[in-house]
Each structure stands twice: as C-alpha cells, then as structure tokens.
Amino acid sequence: MVTEHSPQGFDYIPSREGMPPRAIAPSMISRGITAFMLILVLLYFIFPVYWVIISATKTNAELANTFGLWFATHGEDTESKSLIEAIGVNYDKLMSWTRGNFWRWVVNSLLYSTASAAIGTLISVMAGYSLAKFTFPGKNLSTGIIMAGLLMPAALLTVPMYIVFLHLGISNTMASIIVPCCVSPFGVFLGRVYAQTSVPTELIEAARIDGASEARIFFTIVLRILAPAMVTIFLFIFVACWNNFLLPLMMISTDTLKPVTLGLYGMMSYFNPEKGAVMMGALFGVIPLIILFLGLQKYWQSGLAAGSVKG
C-alpha cells in the first residue's frame, strides 16, 4: 500500500475499498459484536420459515411425537418414508381439504393485492404530490384528516364498509376487497414526504414555463422521479392487502372468491384439521411475497431512502 501525503504534509494510509478511514474505523470488538447481533437477528427471522418448512412435511401425530426441528423419518406405521413421499401426502391432503380451490385462492390473493396496490399507489402519489406542491383551500384540513386516518385501526371501519357495500349490492364481489384496500392513508403520507423532498419545485416551474400542462408534468416528470418511492408504497399496500383477514371474512362468502388467508382459516375451523397440510398451504401462500420482495429489492431499498435527502 502506497503512503500518500495530505495537503498539510501529514502521511496517511488510504483505507481499503468499502472500509472507512482507519481513524474512524470501528474496533475489532465492535465489529465482532455487530456481526454477532446481525447473526441473531438473521436467525430470529429465518427460524420461523425453517420451522414451517419442517412442519409442512409432517402429520398431526408426527408434529406431536417427533423432533420439531427436523424431518420425520418414519411414518405413523413406523415404516421409513422419503421426504418426497411426505410432501406428496400433505399436498394431497391440502388439495382434498380445500376441495381443489387452494391455488385459486392464491390467484385471488394475487389479483386482489396487485390491483389494490397498483391503483392505491397511483392514488397515493397523486394525493401526496398535490398536498406537497399545491396550495388550495382546505389543504391543512385534508392533511389533518389523512394523518388522523393513520391512527384509526382498519378493523374499526370493516363493519361500516360492509353495510355500505351491502346496500350498494357489491358485497361478496372482488370489488368489495379491492376498493377498500386501494385507500391507504399511510401511502398518501409517504407520497407527500417523497414529493416534498425528491421533486424540485424549480423543475416543475420550468416545465410550466415551457407550456406543459399539470397532467403532463405529473405523468411524464413526477412519476419518473418518484418511481423508487412508488415501489415502496406498492409493496406496503400489496402486503397489507395480502395479509388482510377481517375484510374478506366480512365481505366474501363464496369459496371461489376467497383469498388464501381466508381459505386457510376455513381449513383450521374443521374438527381435528390436518395441521401439516395447513402449514404447507401457509408456506405456499407466502412464497409470492418472498419472490416479490426479492425481485423488487433494489427499487424498494432506494425508495426507503428517497425521502430522507432533499434534492
């Protein structure tokens, strides 16, 4: 490593790539403690997934009588069985108990969550942008109502929404799930924060001077700047709709319209349900979320930091 000279005449050793300068670098003890804590956090999040994978291959008797952190190597008749056979048995039970509707429920959840997240993201960004960059009567009141919406539990609004949708004749339809999930006060709040800090006012004024309409400015300039933030809002709404249970429980009564959360709850409502099959259904039901987060990882990570730095 070559020693360089600073303008003041002092020698210093350049830090390695990806490492801070030696003067402010953490000590070995600090790095060791940090690595240890990160490993504990990793195990904390990975362990439930690992346990579900193990449990998804077992029967009710094996869940009670075998070691909980490893696959069962013997069946109920004490004959050895392979892992593939155990998975096949529980998959057949899953399809049988759900009357072949399980994958339809997964598709329903994908449809509800994707439609709600796409529409809700556009609404949130439009509302947040208008609150951040426009002045109009009632702006402060509108902002206060949205902030109050952040404090209101969604479960509190489920029964009133059911009554309204019942009188409108749209209960027990896909719209009864998609429409409520589109409205996200938290998404509007994030859209407002991102628009305030990431969209330069000078850029908007320059576009107006060039003769661009407000709609053109929003759809051709603002949306491109807020793309990482939109991915973050999309994921928040998608996950909230995917995990929603009380709303579908109130709105949906037809088996073919149920999301996967409501369908798995129906399996558990039977007497002595096959818990291993339910675990397998829960595992299959969370795989789309994992794929979505991994696929959009680069965008939502940059979107989380988009509103933290102005300009």
Side-chain angles (χ1 to χ4, degrees):
M1 184 177 293
V2 180
T3 302
E4 300 179 2
H5 295 277
S6 65
Q8 291 79 15
F10 298 103
D11 295 337
Y12 71 96
I13 300 176
S15 61
R16 289 179 298 174
E17 185 177 358
M19 295 292 292
R22 191 169 64 178
I24 61 173
S27 64
M28 289 292 295
I29 297 177
S30 299
R31 290 201 295 268
I33 294 175
T34 301
F36 177 74
M37 294 302 299
L38 289 175
I39 292 173
L40 287 181
V41 172
L42 177 64
L43 292 176
Y44 176 80
F45 287 105
I46 293 297
F47 178 78
V49 180
Y50 171 77
W51 182 81
V52 170
I53 293 174
I54 297 298
S55 301
T57 64
K58 297 183 178 181
T59 63
N60 288 353
E62 291 167 348
L63 285 171
N65 300 326
T66 60
F67 182 54
L69 299 182
W70 195 245
F71 302 99
T73 57
H74 294 83
E76 297 177 5
D77 55 359
T78 69
E79 294 182 0
S80 62
K81 62 175 182 178
S82 67
L83 179 60
I84 301 299
E85 291 174 345
I87 294 174
V89 169
N90 272 1
Y91 182 79
D92 291 339
K93 291 179 180 178
L94 177 63
M95 293 297 106
S96 175
W97 279 68
T98 60
R99 296 186 291 273
N101 287 322
F102 175 76
W103 291 113
R104 186 182 184 92
W105 295 342
V106 173
V107 172
N108 288 343
S109 290
L110 283 172
L111 176 61
Y112 295 147
S113 301
T114 303
S116 299
I119 300 173
T121 299
L122 182 61
I123 294 175
S124 297
V125 173
M126 292 176 71
Y129 170 71
S130 64
L131 290 174
K133 297 299 181 180
F134 290 89
T135 301
F136 53 88
K139 175 180 177 179
N140 293 333
L141 178 62
S142 301
T143 304
I145 293 174
I146 293 172
M147 295 300 103
L150 292 173
L151 305 176
M152 186 172 295
L156 188 65
L157 302 176
T158 302
V159 174
M161 283 192 295
Y162 171 73
I163 295 174
V164 171
F165 287 4
L166 181 64
H167 284 82
L168 291 176
I170 59 174
S171 62
N172 196 32
T173 63
M174 290 187 173
S176 63
I177 303 297
I178 296 175
V179 172
C181 290
C182 289
V183 182
S184 174
F186 185 64
V188 176
F189 170 75
L190 288 180
R192 177 174 175 267
V193 172
Y194 290 136
Q196 281 181 329
T197 56
S198 301
V199 180
T201 303
E202 296 81 4
L203 181 62
I204 299 175
E205 292 176 350
R208 289 170 180 166
I209 292 174
D210 289 340
S213 63
E214 296 297 337
R216 184 176 181 181
I217 293 173
F218 177 78
F219 286 104
T220 61
I221 299 176
V222 175
L223 287 186
R224 294 185 180 182
I225 296 175
L226 295 181
M230 291 175 64
V231 173
T232 304
I233 298 173
F234 179 91
L235 287 175
F236 273 113
I237 299 177
F238 187 97
V239 173
C241 185
W242 186 281
N243 293 332
N244 203 332
F245 169 73
L246 186 59
L247 179 66
L249 180 64
M250 294 290 298
M251 297 291 185
I252 302 298
S253 58
T254 304
D255 279 347
T256 55
L257 295 178
K258 290 180 179 179
V260 67
T261 52
L262 186 59
L264 292 177
Y265 168 77
M267 288 182 63
M268 292 299 297
S269 64
Y270 289 106
F271 176 74
N272 192 26
E274 290 290 341
K275 296 183 177 64
V278 175
M279 292 292 182
M280 180 173 287
L283 180 62
F284 288 154
V286 79
I287 287 177
L289 290 179
I290 297 175
I291 295 174
L292 183 66
F293 269 86
L294 292 179
L296 299 177
Q297 183 178 11
K298 179 178 70 174
Y299 301 101
W300 69 263
Q301 284 181 343
S302 60
L304 286 175
S308 61
V309 180
K310 186 174 183 179

